Amino acid sequence: MPIEIVCKIKFAEEDAKPKEKEAGDEQSLLGAARGAAAPRDLATFASKSTLHGLGRACGPGPHGLRRTLWALALFTSLTAFLYQAAGLARGYLTWPHLVAMDPAAPAPVAGFPAVTLCNINRFRHSALSDADIFHLANLTGLPPKDRDGHRAAGLRYPEPDMVDILNRTGHQLADMLKSCNFSGHHCSASNFSVVYTRYGKCYTFNADPQSSLPSRAGGMGSGLEIMLDIQQEEYLPIWRETNETSFEAGIRVQIHSQEEPPYIHQLGFGVSPGFQTFVSCQEQRLTYLPQPWGNCRAESGLREPELQGYSAYSVSACRLRCEKEAVLQRCHCRMVHMPGNETICPPNIYIECADHTLDSLGGGSEGPCFCPTPCNLTRYGKEISMVRIPNRGSARYLARKYNRNETYIRENFLVLDVFFEALTSEAMEQRAAYGLSALLGDLGGQMGLFIGASILTLLEILDYIYEARKGPVSWDRLKRVWRRPKTPLRTSSGGISTLGLQELKEQSPCLSRGRAEGGGASNLLPNHHHPHGPAGGLFEDFAC
């Protein structure tokens, strides 16, 4: 049988206050867990915000036509700003760049470039032995011979050494070089270094980057001036055409920096006999941009390993490395002009490996060999002019001096004059046309023009949103209200309330107060022991 306790409730004067106070007490109880005051409402925030027009559109005050027009103006300005900001962002993400050219001031001394020259004829006819002709048949087109000068298919010779053949049968600079002067000082073949290219044995002047020769003045007579005999009588006769057959006479020349190897079969220019060729150079220092503005090879902490056989990265070195890897993959050997310690290809497959493999290499970013341009590059612009030599008087003099006839002098002698136009250099630099600072400046200008905002205004909005998530409408508060224990069921008739026993145990302050004073469950009797208890509210003065 359930036990019911009839309690007589004595209402205090304070309980007659309006119900708004109870609602306020309920709200204060909900916010007691965090102990923070409710944040500002939108109208208060709008009236104090630095965002132009927000106070007039959303601030306190009656709604009317004026506020509607302000809201429309604010929305239009915000839309215009977002449109302009999107256009600026799209322009920035295209990563535009421009090229700036700055002429440098004249320098008292300029480093002279390396000059590589090759005779177009790869092998001297008189230096070829029968074994050489037999092994080089694919390269020269000459038929093999026996000792009696007749072709024999069953001839056998020892295995050839391609380096020895090129070194022994190539044109010797000591025989070709007739005169040499650099900046008014005499030079000789000892000032040239041997280098191997697709043209065989070649020679480079001023090749050592550690001891580069300086040029102290510009103009003719201040650079390298050499006279060469190309030795056309040593050119190979043409029996049949091959991919390496040359119909030209003269030399190939490349002017490059000491840090890059010669790539003369593609980057060189020709010099003809019977002419004096003037090459006016100007140093150009190029600076390219890495990703995302350009495609240059940026120097970073994760540097690409140095190319084997080269001290520095260059496009020419990269191309030679790609060619070597292709030849190794196809023929399991390398050509003489390629760096490395691998076995050199024998002459019988030399031309086959070179032609079929090198032609398959791609030169673009989609090909198998992509060699990005270094971000810092030095090259030499050239202006070439020439005059015919020798004149009638000098032809007779040169014929007597070198014990040749005048026809030989005209067909074999040439003069090459390489010099600086001036001791100045051109600096060509790629620069970002639209950087991050320009983007921020334009965005700030658009914000100020359309909505009168700044970075601090954005911080104000973020601060308001952060405070709003802690207010009475926040998700955390809603969850606490939802999970709050239900209020006890009360039935009243006049001034009498009837409570269940279990509800009284959970809700009655008398029970908790009795337990705090040391009593047990028997303290459910009317509270007559505290006649002077605190006066007041509904829960305080409860006649139990």
Side-chain angles (χ1 to χ4, degrees), residues 15 490 507 509-510 513 536-542:
D15 298 328
R490 303 178 183 180
Q507 302 294 333
C510 301
R513 183 171 56 195
L538 175 64
F539 298 105
E540 296 292 338
D541 194 2
F542 205 80

Side-chain angles (χ1 to χ4, degrees), residues 123-452:
F123 307 102
R124 289 180 297 145
H125 190 205
S126 64
L128 291 175
S129 63
D130 293 342
D132 296 334
I133 295 176
F134 175 79
H135 293 305
L136 299 176
N138 291 337
L139 287 173
T140 62
L142 298 179
K145 300 181 301 180
D146 61 9
R147 294 182 180 180
D148 298 328
H150 301 290
R151 181 175 181 179
L155 295 177
R156 293 292 182 267
Y157 293 101
E159 291 296 325
D161 183 354
M162 196 64 189
V163 176
D164 174 70
I165 293 176
L166 290 176
N167 188 49
R168 177 169 44 83
T169 64
H171 289 267
Q172 307 301 314
L173 184 62
D175 299 331
M176 291 193 300
L177 189 63
K178 298 304 179 180
S179 66
C180 177
N181 288 281
F182 178 74
S183 295
H185 301 282
H186 178 72
C187 54
S188 64
S190 60
N191 299 108
F192 291 77
S193 303
V194 176
V195 60
Y196 295 99
T197 69
R198 289 288 297 273
Y199 286 101
K201 188 177 183 180
C202 303
Y203 304 91
T204 302
F205 178 79
N206 194 29
D208 189 2
Q210 305 299 328
S211 57
S212 177
L213 297 176
S215 180
R216 303 183 183 279
M220 290 186 298
S222 301
L224 176 66
E225 183 178 353
I226 57 176
M227 178 182 289
L228 296 175
D229 178 5
I230 65 170
Q231 301 175 331
Q232 282 202 59
E233 78 279 1
E234 294 285 0
Y235 278 37
L236 295 178
I238 299 177
W239 289 81
R240 63 181 176 88
E241 294 184 24
T242 68
N243 292 334
E244 298 293 322
T245 301
S246 175
F247 298 98
E248 301 87 7
I251 63 173
R252 294 278 291 183
V253 180
Q254 181 182 353
I255 300 174
H256 55 95
S257 64
Q258 286 81 6
E259 286 75 18
E260 61 177 313
Y263 205 60
I264 198 167
H265 64 282
Q266 288 191 2
L267 303 180
F269 60 92
V271 178
S272 301
F275 291 90
Q276 180 172 358
T277 303
F278 302 95
V279 184
S280 175
C281 301
Q282 185 169 18
E283 185 182 58
Q284 296 176 344
R285 298 179 181 178
L286 309 180
T287 302
Y288 298 99
L289 289 174
Q291 293 284 355
W293 293 275
N295 294 316
C296 75
R297 178 183 178 272
E299 298 290 343
S300 62
L302 301 176
R303 293 185 58 187
E304 180 180 336
E306 295 294 342
L307 301 179
Q308 183 181 8
Y310 302 106
S311 60
Y313 175 86
S314 63
V315 176
S316 300
C318 179
R319 292 287 299 177
L320 288 173
R321 181 199 61 180
C322 292
E323 294 177 0
K324 171 191 168 182
E325 292 175 353
V327 172
L328 281 175
Q329 184 178 2
R330 179 181 179 89
C331 302
H332 308 288
C333 57
R334 66 177 177 90
M335 303 175 72
V336 175
H337 65 278
M338 298 176 180
N341 300 320
E342 293 80 6
T343 304
I344 297 177
C345 297
N348 58 334
I349 65 170
Y350 203 84
I351 189 64
E352 177 184 357
C353 295
D355 290 342
H356 292 282
T357 305
L358 302 184
D359 292 342
S360 64
L361 292 177
S365 59
E366 302 298 331
C369 179
F370 173 56
C371 295
T373 303
C375 292
N376 294 286
L377 176 66
T378 299
R379 73 176 185 184
Y380 297 90
K382 300 176 292 293
E383 293 183 1
I384 301 176
S385 60
M386 59 186 65
V387 295
R388 180 177 292 278
I389 61 167
N391 56 40
R392 293 181 180 179
S394 62
R396 289 191 294 269
Y397 169 77
L398 292 175
R400 291 194 305 268
K401 180 177 180 180
Y402 296 108
N403 195 21
R404 299 285 186 175
N405 56 54
E406 295 183 13
T407 302
Y408 182 92
I409 297 297
R410 292 189 178 93
E411 292 181 351
N412 291 275
F413 276 52
L414 61 86
V415 177
L416 176 65
D417 195 351
V418 182
F419 56 90
F420 277 128
E421 178 182 351
L423 296 185
T424 58
S425 62
E426 291 182 350
M428 300 179 63
E429 180 181 2
Q430 279 187 348
R431 299 174 183 174
Y434 194 62
L436 181 60
S437 59
L439 174 65
L440 294 177
D442 290 344
L443 287 176
Q446 299 293 338
M447 290 172 63
L449 175 64
F450 287 103
I451 58 178

Side-chain angles (χ1 to χ4, degrees), residues 27-39 466-467 470-472 477 480:
Q27 183 175 355
S28 64
L29 288 175
L30 291 174
R34 297 195 179 186
Y466 177 77
E467 291 294 333
K470 300 192 302 182
R477 291 182 178 274
R480 286 201 301 273

